[in-house]
Amino acid sequence: MTPLTPEQVQIIKATVPVLAQHGETITTKFYADMLEAHPELKNIFNNTHQATGHQSRALAGSLYAYASNIDDLGKLSPAVELICHKHVSLYIRPEHYNIVGEHLLKTMKTVLGAAATPDILGAWEAAYWQLANIMINKEDGLYKEAEGWTDWKDFKIVRKEKEAEDITSFYLQPVESNLKLPIFKPGQYISVNVFVDELDGGVWQARQYSLSDAPGKDYLRISVKREPGVEVGEPSDMTHPGYLSNIMHEKKNVGDTVRVSHPWGDFYFEEEEDKSAPIVLISAGVGLTCLNSILNATLEHSSRPVTWIQGARDSKTRAFKKEIDGLAEKKSNLHTVYFSSSPQEGELQGQDYDIRGRVNLDSIDKKVLFTDSDKTLYFTCGPQQFMLDVEAKLKTYGVPAERIHMELFGTGGIPRV
């Protein structure tokens, strides 16, 4: 496609108020019509996000952001990077962009009616393919980095270990004996693809799970949180956000196979030349999984100062404490701080946890937060508001945004402040 003309750029910018008013109506109808015409795509799109409207809202937000920044696409680079990694983990192909483009323009015309003039539709077709080609090219580069691992691979569950009341680790090894596991970047994830026979007569569904151990092992480890209150097989629960995690906990056991993607993700820690720079890892709940990979990898390869800050409800829901405490006994460069929001009767402060309450950086000695260093890197993962609160607090200490890294998991990412 040829670049947008100046006139087309102005048309796209002029449609920003239209997207603000009708964006979600457009994207909701778009997904419904596209999946009806191409039911095979149900094997790619997250059924839960479709049912809850999360996917439609995310796409509406993306279209709005794209139109608003059509003449300065550099601002969208972080979002494009995030989405492209997600796409390759689901094996999105160029032909999928043809289907999406066709149905998106068709839906715009239907919803907007007479307001969708040929000039507006022409501008949006050009704009769509401008972005699509950027993403197709980026994704092509990522596929090449995978060195031939460009489709789902069967992995066997060789070990299943309960880490906490609601978190279980799965150790996965490739069924293909000649498949060499890549040295992924600590913090990245894999997509796990399972067949759900209760949905629409049977569909494949994929979810992204952070790798929870250091690279270089003969296995890939994920640690999956099971959401409570879900009955596997119950139609009323099939759209619950934790439905796939319950299948993993209840139905997948040692010896079973699942389909796995190559590791991807734009949230990771990469060893720098200066291995003395401190890192601070701040998590809440199951957000510790990707940070655990960073922790293990860092302690294997450097003696840099590391602070591990973890929030959990109580000891029953806190994963990896025994493992991490064992590392702290051996590694003088590791400092740990455990928060418990609701410690159970019999739990001892100073033994089972350090500070009662939710994670609060003001309660921590600034010496172990290393805020006096202009090299310290901060990695945080947990619920959306938790990450935003951590970022806001670190900024009050004078930490610039470029040294604060958040795991923007899920569709659409989260807003930065």
Side-chain angles (χ1 to χ4, degrees):
M1 294 291 289
T2 57
L4 273 71
T5 65
E7 292 76 18
Q8 288 174 325
V9 169
Q10 291 306 312
I11 288 172
I12 295 298
K13 295 190 76 170
T15 61
V16 169
V18 177
L19 289 174
Q21 183 178 356
H22 300 289
E24 197 170 331
T25 302
I26 291 171
T27 56
T28 299
K29 180 172 175 53
F30 154 74
Y31 278 118
D33 291 351
M34 183 180 66
L35 293 175
E36 182 178 0
H38 295 274
E40 72 277 8
L41 296 182
K42 292 179 181 179
N43 292 309
I44 294 177
F45 288 100
N46 184 314
N47 180 77
T48 299
H49 286 169
Q50 289 297 318
T52 61
H54 184 80
Q55 193 106 45
S56 298
R57 290 191 296 274
L59 178 57
S62 296
L63 290 174
Y64 180 86
Y66 181 45
S68 300
N69 295 281
I70 194 69
D71 53 358
D72 188 9
L73 294 181
K75 291 181 179 179
L76 301 180
S77 293
V80 169
E81 186 79 11
L82 170 76
I83 294 169
C84 287
H85 277 265
K86 183 83 170 284
H87 279 183
V88 295
S89 84
L90 296 170
Y91 297 109
I92 300 294
R93 308 293 187 187
E95 57 266 27
H96 296 133
Y97 283 91
N98 292 324
I99 297 172
V100 169
E102 174 192 347
H103 283 274
L104 184 59
L105 291 168
K106 187 182 295 185
T107 305
M108 281 185 169
K109 185 175 183 179
T110 300
V111 173
L112 299 181
T117 65
D119 285 345
I120 287 177
L121 291 176
W124 265 103
E125 182 178 13
Y128 171 79
W129 279 108
Q130 174 180 265
L131 181 59
N133 285 324
I134 290 171
M135 298 178 75
I136 288 170
N137 290 333
K138 171 66 178 177
E139 289 159 20
D140 180 63
L142 292 174
Y143 282 129
K144 288 175 180 175
E145 290 178 19
E147 299 182 342
W149 184 350
T150 55
D151 207 342
W152 299 106
K153 297 289 187 180
D154 286 336
F155 273 62
K156 181 180 289 187
I157 300 171
V158 297
R159 183 176 164 194
K160 182 177 178 180
E161 186 169 319
K162 189 171 184 178
E163 307 287 2
E165 183 178 65
D166 54 1
I167 299 175
T168 294
S169 287
F170 296 83
Y171 292 73
L172 308 172
Q173 289 184 328
V175 172
E176 293 179 23
S177 59
N178 62 344
L179 179 62
K180 183 179 179 181
L181 295 183
I183 302 299
F184 61 87
K185 296 173 182 177
Q188 291 188 309
Y189 59 80
I190 56 174
S191 284
V192 175
N193 202 15
V194 300
F195 190 73
V196 184
D197 50 18
E198 300 95 344
L199 287 174
D200 292 325
V203 294
W204 290 94
Q205 286 285 282
R207 298 292 185 272
Q208 289 72 45
Y209 295 113
S210 296
L211 292 157
S212 60
D213 204 351
K217 315 294 184 184
D218 65 352
Y219 57 81
L220 299 177
R221 186 180 77 175
I222 57 173
S223 302
V224 180
K225 180 183 178 183
R226 173 179 179 168
E227 296 292 340
V230 179
E231 295 292 334
V232 172
E234 272 294 314
S236 60
D237 289 333
M238 289 177 193
T239 58
H240 190 285
Y243 193 75
L244 263 290
S245 69
N246 276 265
I247 288 178
M248 291 294 292
H249 276 251
E250 290 186 23
K251 289 192 172 184
K252 298 301 179 183
N253 297 300
V254 172
D256 291 340
T257 60
V258 293
R259 301 201 303 184
V260 170
S261 76
H262 187 282
W264 295 112
D266 64 336
F267 173 86
Y268 54 81
F269 172 72
E270 197 161 31
E271 283 287 350
E272 303 165 332
E273 290 185 12
D274 183 359
K275 294 191 176 182
S276 65
I279 64 171
V280 179
L281 307 172
I282 310 167
S283 66
V286 76
L288 86 165
T289 54
C290 54
L291 302 190
N292 200 60
S293 177
I294 296 174
L295 175 69
N296 289 347
T298 300
L299 294 178
E300 285 181 9
H301 299 294
S302 76
S303 58
R304 70 172 73 237
V306 181
T307 298
W308 175 266
I309 302 168
Q310 182 194 0
R313 189 175 67 245
D314 53 33
S315 294
K316 289 182 178 180
T317 59
R318 189 186 306 282
F320 301 123
K321 186 174 187 298
K322 183 177 179 181
E323 176 184 315
I324 292 167
D325 284 348
L327 289 171
E329 289 178 4
K330 300 173 185 176
K331 304 282 186 177
S332 59
N333 56 316
L334 173 60
H335 186 88
T336 62
V337 183
Y338 298 106
F339 285 82
S340 281
S341 59
S342 302
Q344 299 298 301
E345 185 177 352
E347 292 184 14
L348 301 176
Q349 189 169 6
Q351 178 178 310
D352 299 300
Y353 65 96
D354 298 305
I355 302 173
R356 187 183 186 115
R358 298 182 183 276
V359 173
N360 179 0
L361 299 187
D362 285 336
S363 302
I364 301 174
D365 188 336
K366 297 303 178 290
K367 291 181 181 179
V368 299
L369 286 177
F370 302 105
T371 53
D372 58 342
S373 169
D374 61 2
K375 296 180 180 179
T376 307
L377 297 175
Y378 299 85
F379 295 83
T380 181
C381 188
Q384 173 175 315
Q385 193 57 51
F386 167 80
M387 291 189 287
L388 292 172
D389 289 346
V390 166
E391 181 187 46
K393 179 57 67 175
L394 288 172
K395 284 182 175 180
T396 68
Y397 299 155
V399 180
E402 59 266 24
R403 289 198 279 117
I404 306 170
H405 305 275
M406 300 189 289
E407 171 55 289
L408 311 185
F409 230 28
T411 304
I414 65 173
R416 299 302 293 265
V417 292

